[in-house]
Amino acid sequence: MAGVSYYAAAAAGTGRPCVVQFGAAPNRSRRVSRTRLRRRNAGGRFGLDSNSELQVDVKPSSGSMVEIELVATNTGSALALHWGALQPGRRIHSILSFQSGSNSTLKIEIDNPGLESIEFVIVDEAQNKWFKNNGQNFQVHMRPPAGPHHQGQQHSATAGSIGRKNRDVMQLLSKNASTGDQVNEATGTTSAKCTVLDLFIKSLQEKHGSQVLCKKVFKLGEKEILALMSQVQGSTKVHLATDHVEPLILHWALAKKAGEWKAPPPGIVPAGSTLLEMACESPFSDAELNGLHHQVLEIELDEDSYRGMPFVLRSNQTWIKNGTSDFYLDFSRRTAKSSEVTLPFSFSPILAKNLLQKSSQNHMLIFFPCIKGTSDGSKGTAKALLETIADLEEDAQRSLMHRFNIAADLIDQAKDAGQLGLAGLLVWMRFMATRQLIWNKNYNVKPREISQAQDRFTDNLQSLYKMYPQHREMLRMIMYTVGRGGQGDVGQRIRDEILVIQRNNDCMGGMMEEWHQKLHNNTSPDDVVICQALMDYMSSDLDIKVYWDTLNKNGITKERLLSYDHPIHSEPNLKSEQKEGLLRDLTNYMRSLKAVHSGADLESAIGTCTGYTSESQGFMVGVEVNPVKGLPSGFPELLKFVLDHIEDKSVESLVEGLLEARAELRTLLLSSTERLKDLIFLDIALDSTVRTAIERSFENLNNAAPEKIMYFISLVVENLALSTDDNENLLCCLKGWNHALEMSKHSDDQWALYAKAFLDRTRLALATKGEEYHGILQPSAEYLGSLLGIEQWTVNIFTEEIIRSGSAASLSLLLNRLDPVLRNVANLGSWQIISPVDVAGYVVVVDQLLTVQHKSYDKPTILVVKGVKGEEEIPDGVVAVLTPDMPDVLSHVSVRARNSKVLFATCFDPNILSELEQNKGKVLSLKPASVDISYREIPESELLVSSSIDTLDGQKTPSLSLAKKQFLGKYAISAEEFSDEMVGAKSRNIAYLNGKVPSWVSVPTSVALPFGTFETVLSDKINKEVAQKVKILTEKLDQGELGALNEIRNVLLNLTAPTYLVSELKEKMQGSGMPWPGDEGEQRWEQAWTAIKKVWASKWNERAYLSTRKVKLDHSNLSMAVLVQQVVSADYAFVIHTTNPSSGERSEIYAEVVKGLGETLVGAYPGRAMSFVCSKDNLESPKVLGYPSKPIGLFIQKSIIFRSDSNGEDLEGYAGAGLYDSVPMDKEEQVVLDYTTDPLITDCSFRTSTLSSIARAGYDIEQLYGGSPQDIEGVVKDGKIYIVQTRPQM
């Protein structure tokens, strides 16, 4: 091959494969030797299988010569390289072989400028196994390609880029579940190993009936001491127990305020104690439990006004302290009872429900330790912890050493309070980091003491990170606000090295001496900024303006410099001959400052993990940091690549390298690795660098192709997933973006519509995350902020700033940039018109439709609403609802809007929505088109009284009447017995369809509990007590006390089933071929009976009750039958409207489809269903209008469902469908949906066939009803269509 040579003799020109033997690969250093690492042109790294990798390096040599080095690691047998060199219009092929072994190396030299790249595959010939790059040949570019090149998820390994490993995205999955030992969050103990201290607590609780009020465990080297407060029979005691071997003396006091040491009253000191002036000394006693020796001490308190107990220990003549602080048991703490879970006011019902479900499913406790109905702003917080923080803030302001030691002391209390406890710590540390709190006040402290306190605090956080996987996201956020710290000389170097700098560079006076005095007595994160300002000042040829610019941009003003205990009055006044030496030494000094103060500095984090040795002469001599053990193969080289490209203008390769490093690091972060803390800080730094790199790329993306923006979105989604505890939804979004890129690459005409669905899903994930953060953090920020006197504007934007500091903000900006592009390509326009009506009215802006759904507006009103869930009512007087939210076209609120002739539309363009909001209070005329709404301001006089009255009258449904249904003597009936007097239209329509639908359509077998059954059961003597309570509560309800609705529902769950109901229902179900739940045990029948009661109780749902009252229906006349059906374990569920509801076109069928059960479609589950239309003249050609964005699917195995079937659901002029509950006997499983593996999305033929079958079923059922438009619900199972209900389309 011309211009090609090998590091062994190649049989060139022979026509035979070239076989080359390889020696062991050269040893690669794992140590970062300098702050800035030398650039190398790395080709890339590829995973061959689970154990072996291929590293490719491309190194330009002299002239046009390029050297390509391939290193195969951990190969089990000899490998062959089938490769070729590529040049325009031609490929040149050859074969080379690797040896087996730990590392095998092949080097190729190519001196042919016409060759652009090499292409290859690897073959294990012994096992006939071929290794490819995600199904394609590996490709390595030696020189920049001639034309534009788009990189997908698996990238070519080019000079200056990194090759991503071919890993399954789901390998990055984190589902918020503990591994290993189960941790009891209330006690902080593990079930795997029961210590003597665990036995001690158990003994107190079981033998003495003690209630543990608060507790804390302290480390005593390898041993521990437990301090707890208990209460039994009105007596309050403090117990101490330790597994320390040597005899101990407790030197203790009591405190009624923070920091106080007060000798206890003589009457409460234990026997053998010695009272001192300000303390007491009491000896421990020996004890034994289950053969385990320990020491104990008990103190009975005489009053309840003490805030805590400070103490130290003495063993012989050795004093034992809690690090550098006293031990302290805080009496103000109280362990939250699990029955007192109270949700923060800002949680939405859905989010609250999901959080509680997660806590139950994962067998962990989520504490909300707050007092119900508090008026002090503490609701939704760990109140006791925040008040303790506030009490100790004055002491914390003495120095950062005090603050970090106090924080370390509060770790156990925060842990016991669960997520909200850690949220409280985060808020406090964030207030500190943003300079809202005083860092130092009249106290001199050595830098090493600050770094040791930081080290202690972050060590405690590291321990929680290991023990509580569900809290790792919160713990990372806390660590982000705190420097790394460090024992030994890390902190002391800050003090020592500044003297060396001054001496070496002859700058002993002025600003440098003032800074030295500050550093000597109280170093802080400000010093990182000051050091950078000095370096920028010298790099700018001593321009003092640059010095102040750097300080001011980072929040340091002249006033702040003067506020230090050792103030900095002077400006730097250095000489040009000092510049070179000072720049060199300050660059190295910055490493020490960042090692202590910075939690997110990439360079220092890499150096700490990969190791370094100082090479400067006369400065930091002998400083050496060892590398973390067990780093992945090639990881230091990967980090070196990142540092080499950290300032690249084009950030794509840099971000790929950062994400590859995070993915490689993830395995170590999930295990109890030695020096885990250093790896956490490295991961935080990598995360932060991704964000800054992406932000730097925004300008370059201004005119980028949509595929480029999508690729950057995929990178940021991956980064966000790697920082999130429960990331399954984000990973499914990532897979969706990757699939959209593939569709675009292959010119699939659906790519933009598909990508729009994942854009909507990603936005929804961000909104959910923001809501979660707000619910968890904002109450703590507001309460602690009020206690500490934090400025209100800072408190108001607290959660917003937390979100802005992460990848979510960058992702949101990218989504906003891509959205109009996708809408343009997919011809979606700026609006989706759900209910098209020309209207005029006054603009009113509200946050949530839910909050105004029962309000009455006295003039025509256009509501611009930020949030619509799908189950709300349209308020009286409203003529239009405009929202950025995306409820399904067939959701309850959409049906309500169409029935009431209300304009209802989703706006996809935030600029248009913002313009509408700015018209608040004005009168607008709105005219919808197919995908757009035109609007103009009109004078009030143009809003004609007659048209307004007509509009409002058109909404007001005339008063309706219900005929009360009577019990006809049967508790259960079969489908053959369904009639108007026995059941509602839902049951009757199912019975009508049975036997009439085509053979390829099935109707589930059904029985029913007829009208009047509920009333008869309630009046049965066995339910007399329940009936009396319901009567009293109904009277309250009639008087306007809506709180009685929930009470009635709860009371009805106490109903007892009469024996004749049970026997009749069993007979009818078995006679119809349905399984009887009781045959599987009494518990299964109880599940079924509870489901029936929940259906009956749904008559008193708030939405249903208020809806009937709105149309003046007599609620007492509403009767509830229950339709009983066997659940079809659905692959998909659908709703069909046989007349297009948006356009009114009767020749067109409209349908929506979801994966799993239909509750996500008809209920208020976020996201959009798949939607399509189909002409009745061409049922074989459905047209997809939108792909699904719903993140959750519901699935259930063999079960029975009990469906509401009231006499009020299908009244003409009143859409009562969906107001009442249908309840399955078994709980549905919530599954995060991965649409990239769903054939309905990825297989065009399957999609066309399935959607066509759904449309045909709708058309055939409409024909059975004489062409009357139908609203049909059904499911698809194994390709077969099942219809579960039909009713007239409203």
Side-chain angles (χ1 to χ4, degrees):
M1 186 183 297
V4 179
S5 61
Y6 314 102
Y7 268 52
T14 63
R16 298 189 303 274
C18 300
V19 180
V20 183
Q21 302 297 317
F22 299 92
N27 181 41
R28 296 174 181 267
S29 171
R30 301 172 71 88
R31 178 170 294 177
V32 179
S33 58
R34 295 182 183 273
T35 303
R36 277 277 173 216
L37 300 179
R38 230 177 116 221
R39 173 170 296 198
R40 70 176 171 82
N41 290 321
R45 188 154 47 96
F46 304 90
L48 298 179
D49 55 27
S50 59
N51 296 316
S52 57
E53 294 180 341
L54 179 69
Q55 174 74 41
V56 183
D57 282 349
V58 180
K59 303 175 183 178
S61 187
S62 59
S64 60
M65 179 78 73
V66 174
E67 178 186 295
I68 302 173
E69 181 184 69
L70 301 96
V71 181
T73 62
N74 299 321
T75 57
S77 56
L79 302 177
L81 180 76
H82 286 240
W83 72 289
L86 278 73
Q87 64 184 45
R90 111 176 245 231
R91 280 179 167 82
I92 308 168
H93 292 286
S94 186
I95 300 176
L96 300 171
S97 298
F98 289 79
Q99 280 186 319
S100 61
S102 58
N103 280 8
S104 299
T105 305
L106 166 68
K107 292 184 181 178
I108 305 171
E109 287 184 350
I110 298 179
D111 188 10
N112 184 339
L115 301 180
E116 290 183 350
S117 60
I118 67 167
E119 190 174 89
F120 61 92
V121 294
I122 307 284
V123 186
D124 184 339
E125 295 182 327
Q127 301 184 45
N128 192 28
K129 187 174 181 180
W130 292 70
F131 297 101
K132 304 187 83 175
N133 185 22
N134 200 26
Q136 305 294 321
N137 293 343
F138 295 96
Q139 193 176 90
V140 176
H141 286 271
M142 298 175 290
R143 299 173 180 87
H149 174 64
H150 169 71
Q151 293 180 325
Q153 179 61 21
Q154 287 296 329
H155 301 280
S156 305
T158 67
S161 69
I162 196 74
R164 298 296 306 272
K165 268 192 177 179
N166 183 21
R167 64 171 62 82
D168 182 357
V169 165
M170 299 313 289
Q171 289 178 357
L172 307 179
L173 179 64
S174 174
K175 293 194 74 170
N176 217 5
S178 260
T179 56
D181 297 343
Q182 289 297 312
V183 180
N184 182 330
E185 200 159 320
T187 64
T189 60
T190 65
S191 58
K193 183 179 179 181
C194 194
T195 68
V196 67
L197 301 186
D198 300 330
L199 294 173
F200 177 76
I201 296 174
K202 187 177 180 182
S203 172
L204 281 179
Q205 293 171 327
E206 291 182 354
K207 294 182 180 178
H208 307 292
S210 298
Q211 178 191 356
V212 176
L213 301 179
C214 62
K215 71 161 196 67
K216 194 164 186 178
V217 177
F218 303 94
K219 287 287 185 183
L220 301 178
E222 296 291 321
K223 304 298 182 180
E224 294 178 324
I225 183 169
L226 165 72
L228 66 82
M229 173 190 276
S230 73
Q231 193 170 59
V232 57
Q233 298 178 352
S235 175
T236 303
K237 297 181 179 181
V238 174
H239 305 267
L240 296 107
T242 178
D243 55 358
H244 194 273
V245 177
E246 299 296 326
L248 288 176
I249 300 293
L250 181 74
H251 185 91
W252 62 286
L254 293 170
K256 291 189 176 182
K257 61 182 181 181
E260 182 180 48
W261 273 75
K262 185 177 180 180
I268 71 168
V269 299
S273 299
T274 301
L275 266 174
L276 306 175
E277 183 179 352
M278 297 177 61
C280 179
E281 290 196 340
S282 305
F284 281 78
S285 301
D286 290 335
E288 191 173 291
L289 277 171
N290 289 9
L292 298 174
H293 173 266
H294 60 291
Q295 300 182 63
V296 296
L297 181 61
E298 180 180 299
I299 302 166
E300 184 169 346
L301 301 179
D302 61 333
E303 55 178 285
D304 197 31
S305 61
Y306 299 116
R307 293 298 304 273
M309 187 180 89
F311 64 94
V312 294
L313 300 167
R314 183 159 53 82
S315 176
N316 295 320
Q317 299 305 311
T318 302
W319 289 94
I320 302 172
K321 301 185 73 175
N322 186 23
T324 57
S325 303
D326 299 334
F327 298 101
Y328 188 78
L329 178 63
D330 187 353
F331 295 166
S332 66
R333 293 167 47 193
R334 295 292 186 270
T335 303
K337 297 178 182 178
S338 59
S339 61
E340 294 175 354
V341 173
T342 306
L343 298 174
F345 65 89
S346 54
F347 272 36
S348 70
I350 292 176
L351 178 60
K353 175 183 175 185
N354 289 343
L355 280 174
L356 290 173
Q357 285 176 347
K358 286 178 185 175
S359 69
S360 171
Q361 292 163 0
N362 291 339
H363 308 290
M364 67 182 184
L365 298 176
I366 296 181
F367 285 100
F368 298 99
C370 52
I371 301 172
K372 297 181 181 180
T374 55
S375 58
D376 59 1
S378 65
K379 191 173 184 181
T381 72
K383 183 172 185 280
L385 172 67
L386 298 186
E387 291 175 350
T388 300
I389 288 172
D391 288 344
L392 296 172
E393 175 58 28
E394 184 177 357
D395 192 36
Q397 290 180 2
R398 295 165 69 189
S399 74
L400 289 177
M401 178 195 75
H402 290 82
R403 186 175 299 280
F404 292 135
N405 275 326
I406 290 169
D409 291 340
L410 292 175
I411 281 285
D412 277 349
Q413 183 175 355
K415 176 197 69 178
D416 290 347
Q419 190 175 43
L420 290 184
L422 296 176
L425 269 188
L426 172 59
V427 168
W428 188 36
M429 289 294 106
R430 178 84 179 181
F431 283 157
M432 174 208 71
T434 54
R435 303 188 179 96
Q436 302 302 312
L437 301 173
I438 296 172
W439 286 358
N440 178 258
K441 187 166 64 177
N442 304 321
Y443 195 93
N444 293 336
V445 60
K446 298 173 184 176
R448 77 161 180 270
E449 293 173 333
I450 294 177
S451 66
Q452 286 172 354
Q454 281 177 285
D455 198 42
R456 178 173 167 243
F457 180 38
T458 52
D459 274 348
N460 289 346
L461 293 172
Q462 172 186 256
S463 298
L464 293 186
Y465 189 95
K466 292 179 182 179
M467 294 174 66
Y468 301 99
Q470 67 271 25
H471 295 321
R472 283 176 176 163
E473 186 174 344
M474 189 75 70
L475 291 163
R476 280 171 51 91
M477 293 166 72
I478 297 171
M479 294 176 79
Y480 180 83
T481 65
V482 182
R484 183 181 293 101
Q487 292 282 2
D489 69 343
V490 177
Q492 186 60 29
R493 286 206 307 270
I494 291 176
R495 201 178 195 193
D496 297 342
E497 290 163 10
I498 190 64
L499 291 168
V500 178
I501 292 173
Q502 289 180 279
R503 185 176 63 247
N504 286 354
N505 297 280
D506 191 24
C507 50
M508 300 300 293
M511 178 268 169
M512 291 296 291
E513 179 57 27
E514 291 169 356
W515 186 35
H516 163 220
Q517 291 301 321
K518 178 198 178 299
L519 290 162
H520 194 77
N521 293 285
N522 264 301
T523 183
S524 71
D526 282 3
D527 294 315
V528 175
V529 181
I530 294 170
C531 186
Q532 186 63 55
L534 282 169
M535 292 164 63
D536 292 345
Y537 160 70
M538 288 180 288
S539 297
S540 65
D541 203 20
L542 308 181
D543 185 345
I544 196 65
K545 184 176 180 297
V546 172
Y547 169 78
W548 285 110
D549 282 347
T550 299
L551 290 179
N552 293 334
K553 285 176 185 176
N554 290 278
I556 298 180
T557 62
K558 185 174 292 186
E559 291 73 24
R560 184 166 182 83
L561 293 175
L562 294 172
S563 72
Y564 302 139
D565 280 356
H566 292 269
I568 298 177
H569 298 276
S570 308
E571 293 181 335
N573 184 20
L574 300 167
K575 301 174 183 177
S576 57
E577 56 265 28
Q578 295 171 299
K579 186 168 67 172
E580 182 178 351
L582 269 172
L583 268 175
R584 179 192 65 239
D585 287 351
L586 285 176
T587 298
N588 285 318
Y589 188 53
M590 181 70 92
R591 176 187 288 160
S592 295
L593 290 171
K594 286 182 174 179
V596 172
H597 294 303
S598 177
D601 178 67
L602 182 61
E603 204 165 331
S604 64
I606 288 176
T608 301
C609 290
T610 59
Y612 62 83
T613 301
S614 173
E615 298 176 358
S616 301
Q617 293 182 357
F619 186 78
M620 287 179 66
V621 175
V623 174
E624 182 171 356
V625 175
N626 293 320
V628 173
K629 296 178 181 177
L631 293 176
S633 172
F635 191 64
E637 289 77 16
L638 178 58
L639 296 178
K640 179 180 184 299
F641 172 88
V642 165
L643 285 179
D644 284 347
H645 293 270
I646 199 73
E647 295 176 0
D648 285 1
K649 186 174 181 181
S650 177
V651 303
E652 191 168 330
S653 295
L654 169 63
V655 175
E656 289 167 359
L658 291 162
L659 290 174
E660 185 64 22
R662 293 198 70 193
E664 289 282 89
L665 198 57
R666 186 175 177 276
T667 302
L668 295 177
L669 292 173
L670 296 179
S671 60
S672 297
T673 310
E674 181 185 352
R675 289 175 62 185
L676 175 62
K677 181 173 68 174
D678 291 334
L679 297 175
I680 295 171
F681 277 116
L682 174 57
D683 190 56
I684 289 171
L686 292 166
D687 177 14
S688 179
T689 309
V690 171
R691 177 180 59 80
T692 54
I694 292 292
E695 290 172 356
R696 197 165 78 236
S697 74
F698 283 160
E699 185 177 346
N700 294 335
L701 292 174
N702 281 339
N703 299 310
E707 293 83 0
K708 185 80 166 180
I709 302 174
M710 286 197 296
Y711 180 60
F712 269 78
I713 287 172
S714 74
L715 296 176
V716 184
V717 170
E718 181 180 354
N719 192 56
L720 193 59
L722 286 165
S723 303
T724 304
D725 282 343
D726 193 354
N727 66 3
E728 187 172 10
N729 185 32
L730 285 170
L731 292 179
C732 288
C733 288
L734 175 57
K735 293 183 72 175
W737 285 111
N738 291 341
H739 189 68
L741 281 165
E742 284 299 309
M743 291 174 70
S744 174
K745 181 179 177 181
H746 292 96
S747 302
D748 189 315
D749 60 5
Q750 296 280 294
W751 76 266
L753 199 60
Y754 177 89
K756 179 64 170 74
F758 275 92
L759 185 146
D760 294 340
R761 179 170 177 176
T762 307
R763 267 188 178 153
L764 181 60
L766 289 180
T768 301
K769 196 67 185 173
E771 187 177 8
E772 181 182 340
Y773 276 176
H774 192 272
I776 294 168
L777 298 177
Q778 195 61 30
S780 293
E782 291 172 2
Y783 188 54
L784 185 59
S786 69
L787 295 176
L788 299 179
I790 303 297
E791 291 184 84
Q792 192 59 46
W793 68 269
T794 302
V795 171
N796 292 342
I797 63 170
F798 182 85
T799 304
E800 184 181 338
E801 289 300 307
I802 287 280
I803 293 170
R804 281 181 181 172
S805 67
S807 295
S810 303
L811 180 55
S812 181
L813 289 172
L814 289 170
L815 295 174
N816 290 342
R817 186 169 293 190
L818 180 64
D819 193 351
V821 177
L822 294 181
R823 284 190 278 107
N824 181 55
V825 174
N827 299 313
L828 291 177
S830 298
W831 294 86
Q832 180 179 24
I833 313 300
I834 297 171
S835 173
V837 185
D838 290 1
V839 299
Y842 294 85
V843 176
V844 173
V845 180
V846 298
D847 189 53
Q848 297 291 326
L849 184 59
L850 187 68
T851 61
V852 297
Q853 64 174 334
H854 301 305
K855 184 174 180 178
S856 289
Y857 292 90
D858 57 4
K859 51 189 178 182
T861 299
I862 297 168
L863 283 184
V864 181
V865 188
K866 294 178 183 176
V868 176
K869 299 300 183 186
E871 287 192 333
E872 302 92 337
E873 297 293 327
I874 303 290
D876 286 339
V878 168
V879 297
V881 177
L882 310 177
T883 178
D885 237 335
M886 296 174 289
D888 292 309
V889 173
L890 302 183
S891 65
H892 174 83
V893 71
S894 301
V895 173
R896 276 278 187 268
R898 288 191 290 269
N899 289 346
S900 303
K901 301 297 185 287
V902 170
L903 171 61
F904 187 30
T906 293
C907 180
F908 298 118
D909 190 329
N911 295 321
I912 293 176
L913 205 66
S914 177
E915 288 176 10
L916 285 166
E917 290 174 345
Q918 291 169 15
N919 283 288
K920 181 179 179 180
K922 297 179 180 178
V923 180
L924 297 185
S925 170
L926 306 179
K927 293 187 178 297
S930 58
V931 291
D932 200 5
I933 293 179
S934 61
Y935 62 91
R936 63 185 178 89
E937 185 179 356
I938 60 174
E940 289 186 88
S941 59
E942 196 175 320
L943 190 63
L944 299 175
V945 174
S946 58
S947 63
S948 300
I949 293 173
D950 290 342
T951 302
L952 290 173
D953 287 346
Q955 295 175 45
K956 291 181 178 178
T957 307
S959 297
L960 303 172
S961 61
L962 279 175
K964 190 172 181 66
K965 299 293 185 179
Q966 303 298 317
F967 180 61
L968 299 181
K970 292 185 177 181
Y971 287 91
I973 57 176
S974 62
E976 293 76 20
E977 301 172 90
F978 291 178
S979 67
D980 290 0
E981 296 304 314
M982 302 284 276
V983 293
K986 188 182 295 182
S987 300
R988 298 197 308 274
N989 287 336
I990 282 295
Y992 175 77
L993 290 179
N994 204 7
K996 296 184 177 65
V997 293
S999 58
W1000 51 273
V1001 177
S1002 293
V1003 178
T1005 303
S1006 305
V1007 301
L1009 302 174
F1011 292 139
T1013 302
F1014 162 69
E1015 291 80 3
T1016 304
V1017 170
L1018 182 62
S1019 63
D1020 194 290
K1021 60 183 180 182
I1022 61 174
N1023 291 309
K1024 182 179 179 180
E1025 186 178 341
V1026 174
Q1028 289 174 340
K1029 291 180 179 179
V1030 170
K1031 182 181 178 182
I1032 294 170
L1033 291 169
T1034 302
E1035 290 172 355
K1036 287 185 179 181
L1037 186 60
D1038 292 341
Q1039 294 168 10
E1041 295 186 34
L1042 296 181
L1045 289 167
N1046 186 54
E1047 293 184 67
I1048 291 173
R1049 293 198 303 272
N1050 289 331
V1051 166
L1052 291 177
L1053 296 181
N1054 296 318
L1055 284 171
T1056 300
T1059 54
Y1060 24 87
L1061 181 148
V1062 178
S1063 61
E1064 286 190 31
L1065 182 57
K1066 177 179 180 180
E1067 178 187 346
K1068 293 300 180 182
M1069 290 181 69
Q1070 290 181 331
S1072 300
M1074 298 173 67
W1076 170 244
D1079 289 344
E1080 301 175 45
E1082 184 63 25
Q1083 181 184 357
R1084 294 290 288 164
W1085 159 247
E1086 286 300 326
Q1087 286 178 250
W1089 176 235
T1090 298
I1092 292 168
K1093 291 184 287 186
K1094 286 181 178 179
V1095 175
W1096 284 338
S1098 69
K1099 174 181 174 179
W1100 285 271
N1101 282 338
E1102 284 86 352
R1103 186 163 60 93
Y1105 177 79
L1106 293 171
S1107 179
T1108 57
R1109 193 172 72 172
K1110 183 177 180 180
V1111 296
K1112 299 181 175 60
L1113 277 175
D1114 188 343
H1115 187 260
S1116 64
N1117 285 345
L1118 190 132
S1119 298
M1120 185 75 71
V1122 181
L1123 176 62
V1124 185
Q1125 293 179 322
Q1126 195 164 358
V1127 172
V1128 179
S1129 182
D1131 299 324
Y1132 307 100
F1134 57 82
V1135 173
I1136 307 168
H1137 277 196
T1138 58
T1139 290
N1140 189 326
S1142 296
S1143 64
E1145 181 58 61
R1146 296 200 62 167
S1147 66
E1148 193 171 64
I1149 289 171
Y1150 175 88
E1152 293 182 342
V1153 186
V1154 295
K1155 194 166 178 63
L1157 299 177
E1159 179 59 23
T1160 59
L1161 182 54
V1162 299
Y1165 282 77
R1168 276 278 178 80
M1170 170 180 265
S1171 58
F1172 73 95
V1173 292
C1174 195
S1175 170
K1176 293 176 183 177
D1177 294 333
N1178 186 8
L1179 295 171
E1180 301 301 322
S1181 301
K1183 178 185 177 183
V1184 174
L1185 300 179
Y1187 284 93
S1189 61
K1190 287 186 180 291
I1192 297 295
L1194 299 179
F1195 295 86
I1196 202 168
Q1197 297 304 315
K1198 179 182 176 183
S1199 190
I1200 304 292
I1201 189 167
F1202 300 88
R1203 300 183 183 276
S1204 59
D1205 189 23
S1206 77
N1207 62 337
E1209 290 187 43
D1210 295 294
L1211 290 173
E1212 187 173 352
Y1214 173 63
L1219 289 176
Y1220 307 102
D1221 295 346
S1222 295
V1223 184
M1225 191 175 84
D1226 298 280
K1227 185 173 178 55
E1228 307 98 328
E1229 179 188 5
Q1230 285 198 5
V1231 175
V1232 178
L1233 297 175
D1234 178 3
Y1235 292 113
T1236 65
T1237 60
D1238 183 356
L1240 191 66
I1241 311 301
T1242 60
D1243 187 330
C1244 184
S1245 297
F1246 179 85
R1247 179 170 63 247
T1248 299
S1249 172
T1250 302
L1251 301 186
S1252 178
S1253 295
I1254 291 171
R1256 184 173 296 281
Y1259 176 79
D1260 288 347
I1261 290 171
E1262 184 184 58
Q1263 295 307 302
L1264 288 175
Y1265 284 90
S1268 174
Q1270 294 293 298
D1271 175 354
I1272 304 162
E1273 294 181 23
V1275 300
V1276 181
K1277 175 66 176 175
D1278 297 331
K1280 190 172 182 63
I1281 304 293
Y1282 293 81
I1283 301 299
V1284 298
Q1285 69 179 66
T1286 186
R1287 54 180 169 254
Q1289 181 176 330
M1290 302 295 289

